[in-house]
Amino acid sequence: MIAIRKDQTSNIPAIAPGSLLGIEHMAAAEIMSLLKAAARMNPRRSRPPLRGKRVLLLFYEPSTRTRSSFEIAAKSLGAITTLVQSSGSSIEKGESLLDTVYTLRAVGADILVIRHPNAGAPLLAARHLDIPVINAGDGMHEHPSQALLDAYTILRHKKTLNGLHITIVGDIYHSRVARSAIHLFSKFGAKITLCGPADFLPELAASLAPGLHLSRTVEDAVRGADAVMVLRVQKERLAGKKISLQEYILKYQVTAERLKLAKKDALLMHPGPIVRGLELTSEVADCAQSVIVEEVQNGVPVRMAILARALGKGKDGR
Ligand code: CP
């Protein structure tokens, strides 16, 4: 019988072990264990560990990287995947989030991967299901798998995150990527500089984690950095706020000239999707220091490790 936790009158229900809802409350050791497991993932195993398991991908927002790499990761582990998107599903007819996730559990989901425009939607789903729930990005809250793949990417080029100077430039306020990255990098002792206009970087951002530094000029922010993470201007989350893109480009666009201020071996990162000519130039997106494509590639082993952990399949997917 399927156990669905509908009782909202009792104590807050436990969340299924193996869920990944955010980085904020994860221990550094747990994060490191996931990153090490990702490095051991082998998509060509003869006995895939999730054979016969069902991974339901529930996407209420557009996605290319996260959706495709979770799907490829699940299939590489032998799982069956089903994609449900808000468009073309009964969500369009008014079905609630909880009724939707109950339905997906009832058809046999073993893991739910969910992207939603509202912060906390994955947590709500996890509180009402008896299966692991993976947050694939919730509103302006967290995008934990992105932070993990970004840390994984950095650690393929640098020995440690401890003491690294990581600069994040752009629309930090609306960015779940930035929020998860800040939580993760600060747990490992990185020095983080945030840069953006006041609308995208309120002073209170400094309270997100200890040791954060705010900079209003991209030149100051990038100078001496070991990694520069550029973020997209999230027009879909501006909620009527008007920003001058011309002014943004002038002051904050990461150009080849500005990137030269970083260390010679600095990594140029971007979670994607990139908008060439806005937050960065094409020259920067495709430069030798750019690891943008590598970040996407690393999404597969990292998400394999997340899914294997979700079903308790050990540190190397066994
Ligand atoms: N980085 C990221 O989440 O990209 P998608 O929106 O394409 O999944």
Side-chain angles (χ1 to χ4, degrees):
M1 182 169 140
I2 296 162
I4 291 174
R5 301 189 180 105
K6 281 190 170 177
D7 180 8
Q8 299 189 23
T9 58
S10 61
N11 291 335
I12 295 172
I15 286 158
S19 294
L20 177 66
L21 300 174
I23 299 293
E24 185 176 5
H25 302 295
M26 274 181 97
E30 204 182 346
I31 292 170
M32 198 40 80
S33 152
L34 255 174
L35 297 180
K36 285 183 179 163
R40 289 192 293 269
M41 284 294 150
N42 174 6
R44 289 178 185 82
R45 293 170 73 94
S46 53
R47 295 177 59 201
L50 296 197
R51 185 155 38 187
K53 297 294 180 186
R54 298 185 184 108
V55 176
L56 262 294
L57 306 162
L58 175 58
F59 277 69
Y60 283 78
E61 277 189 344
S63 167
T64 300
R65 280 147 284 272
T66 311
R67 203 192 87 187
S68 60
S69 59
F70 263 120
E71 185 169 347
I72 288 168
K75 285 181 171 154
S76 302
L77 292 167
I80 296 158
T81 62
T82 299
L83 171 67
V84 175
Q85 292 174 285
S86 41
S87 153
S89 73
S90 289
I91 297 163
E92 280 193 337
K93 301 174 192 166
E95 190 160 50
S96 72
L97 170 66
L98 285 184
D99 285 327
T100 301
V101 300
Y102 293 152
T103 302
L104 299 183
R105 180 63 181 115
V107 298
D110 295 300
I111 303 177
L112 178 72
V113 177
I114 176 169
R115 168 169 289 191
H116 199 281
N118 295 339
L123 173 64
L124 181 71
R127 283 199 172 139
H128 289 82
L129 292 178
D130 61 341
I131 55 170
V133 174
I134 311 295
N135 179 1
D138 61 330
M140 289 159 50
H141 175 225
E142 282 229 36
H143 193 349
S145 62
Q146 181 71 43
L148 288 163
L149 75 86
D150 283 335
Y152 183 88
T153 303
I154 293 174
L155 289 171
R156 292 188 82 82
H157 294 270
K158 312 281 178 194
K159 284 195 189 88
T160 173
L161 291 168
N162 190 19
L164 275 195
H165 177 191
I166 302 174
T167 289
I168 306 179
V169 185
D171 184 359
I172 287 150
Y173 179 69
H174 298 103
S175 175
R176 55 197 176 205
V177 171
R179 220 157 257 108
S180 288
I182 290 164
H183 287 310
L184 193 154
F185 297 153
S186 64
K187 282 179 202 286
F188 288 91
K191 290 183 284 179
I192 306 165
T193 299
L194 307 177
C195 177
D199 274 348
F200 291 168
L201 181 59
E203 294 298 329
L204 60 81
S207 62
L208 261 176
L212 280 183
H213 177 73
L214 269 49
S215 173
R216 296 282 176 215
T217 80
V218 72
E219 287 80 6
D220 282 350
V222 166
R223 195 169 286 114
D226 294 290
V228 178
M229 181 185 286
V230 187
L231 300 176
R232 182 174 67 88
V233 175
Q234 299 197 41
K235 290 181 190 159
E236 70 275 25
R237 298 195 208 284
L238 290 179
K241 223 183 285 171
K242 290 261 179 286
I243 69 144
S244 159
L245 293 183
Q246 289 312 103
E247 194 183 329
Y248 184 86
I249 289 168
L250 199 67
K251 289 188 176 164
Y252 296 101
Q253 184 182 69
V254 177
T255 61
E257 202 170 321
R258 285 170 169 163
L259 187 60
K260 273 189 203 143
L261 298 169
K263 286 194 181 143
K264 277 199 167 40
D265 61 351
L267 305 176
L268 185 282
M269 308 180 72
H270 192 309
I274 64 172
V275 183
R276 292 170 186 264
L278 208 171
E279 69 270 15
L280 80 179
T281 61
S282 250
E283 189 184 2
V284 165
D286 302 328
C287 74
Q289 289 162 262
S290 171
V291 290
I292 296 173
V293 174
E294 208 182 309
E295 288 171 82
V296 177
Q297 287 167 340
N298 291 337
V300 176
V302 167
R303 287 175 172 126
M304 284 174 73
I306 291 168
L307 293 172
R309 168 184 175 269
L311 291 186
K313 292 293 176 185
K315 291 186 170 138
D316 58 359
R318 269 192 288 253

